[in-house]
């Protein structure tokens, strides 16, 4: 049987920001694969490197940031081996991104229709104006906004509507991969819910892969078939979404995050966080970067960095686990 090609493949990818204090290791030898039509979640505390990784995949790192090792492939093509012309065709046509600050991602002086038409025509120059206009209407239907809103300016729309427009623009050219960086964080819970339902419906209809970035664990585990957990620039675990409950064995950091989800009981709310703070990314702790905060720390954790153990579609980077244990829980 022919092997299915991943839509996204990161192998040993590191990204650093050059600063006067030294390089900030924002992404640290990351391995991650996203298959066709798969939704993969990426979670981790603020500053763990999620957005940096997203920008690296889009080859949109700027200024003092750069990929220092590893390879990023989208549909089998090396993103950093591409000439600028090929890259330009690749972006938005094959891979698109909903940015974290999506509220400001829209141009305030263009109507919704002009923004959508612009995106279509810039990235698919062969498309006629009439065709782009027709597609703009279809895209609003897709994200359930009335077509009369085509003539609205961003400031005339609610936050939820603006976010829907941003999603419409990301899927406009039917890319194979859409990276969504905290697409609903700024919105209230009810609006968040409805946009997530729409994202799921659009994904099912249009068939593309999503890398869904969030710090909201419960939300991600509901949406994604697999969830990558990032700590201090490293992916410490990749688990199946349906395995993410406290009854199952996980990386101590994952367990900490799971415990941090408020548990609603009859009369009180229990929130148990992870003590301590994420490390300084200029001076990472020796061994496992999580060891100073880990409740299960062993001697080896202070000196030896755990190697990632890959078992099928899951991954574990922790000395507590043997290869056999990981493959048993991953199969
Ligand atoms: N331009 C920069 N120069 C130096 N360090 C930076 C720069 N941008 C980001 N960083 C650092 O890189 C690390 C990763 O940042 P990043 O924005 O990728 O995290 P994140 O996981 O997306 O966080 P959040 O959940 O808050 O969005 C952080 O420690 C941050 O301080
Ligand atoms: Mg971010």
């Amino acid at each position: 049987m022919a092997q299915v090609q991943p839509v996204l493949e990161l192998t040993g990818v590191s990204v650093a920001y050059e600063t006067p204090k030294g390089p900030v290791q924002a992404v640290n030898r990351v391995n991650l694969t996203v298959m066709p039509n798969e939704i993969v979640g990426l979670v981790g505390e603020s500053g763990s490197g999620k957005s940096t990784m997203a920008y690296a995949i889009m080859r949109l790192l700027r200024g003092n940031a750069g990929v220092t090792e590893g390879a990023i492939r989208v549909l089998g093509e090396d993103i950093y081996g591409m000439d600028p012309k090929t890259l330009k065709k690749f972006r938005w046509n094959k891979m698109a991104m909903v940015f974290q600050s999506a509220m400001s991602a829209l141009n305030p002086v263009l109507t919704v229709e002009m923004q959508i038409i612009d995106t279509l025509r810039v990235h698919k120059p062969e498309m006629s104006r009439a065709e782009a206009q027709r597609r703009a209407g279809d895209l609003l239907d897709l994200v359930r906004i009335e077509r009369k809103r085509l003539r609205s300016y961003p400031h005339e729309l609610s936050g939820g509507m603006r976010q829907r427009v941003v999603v419409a623009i990301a899927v406009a050219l039917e890319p194979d991969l859409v990276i969504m960086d905290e697409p609903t964080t700024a919105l209230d819970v009810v609006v968040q819910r409805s946009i997530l339902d729409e994202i799921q419906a659009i994904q099912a209809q249009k068939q593309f892969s999503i890398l869904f970035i969030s710090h909201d664990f419960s939300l991600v585990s509901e949406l994604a078939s697999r969830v990558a957990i990032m700590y201090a620039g490293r992916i410490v675990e990749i688990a199946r979404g349906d395995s993410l409950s406290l009854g199952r064995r996980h990386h101590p950091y994952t367990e900490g995050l799971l415990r941090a989800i408020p548990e609603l009981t009859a009369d009180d709310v229990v929130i148990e966080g992870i003590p301590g703070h994420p490390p300084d990314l200029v001076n990472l702790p020796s061994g496992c970067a999580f060891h100073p905060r880990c409740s299960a720390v062993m001697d080896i954790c202070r000196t030896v960095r755990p190697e990632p153990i890959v078992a099928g579609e899951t991954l574990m980077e922790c000395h507590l686990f043997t290869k056999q244990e990981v493959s048993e829980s991953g199969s």
Side-chain angles (χ1 to χ4, degrees), residues 17 19 24 26 44-53 64 100 182 215 281:
Y17 292 95
T19 72
V24 174
E45 285 166 289
S46 185
S48 55
K50 305 180 297 294
S51 296
T52 304
M53 189 173 124
N64 60 340
Q100 188 162 2
E182 311 257 11
H215 57 254
L281 298 176

Side-chain angles (χ1 to χ4, degrees), residues 92 96-98 165-175 177-180:
W92 303 107
M97 181 161 164
V98 174
V165 172
V166 172
V167 170
I169 291 174
V171 301
L173 292 148
E174 313 216 321
L177 171 69
V178 181
I179 302 172
M180 299 190 175

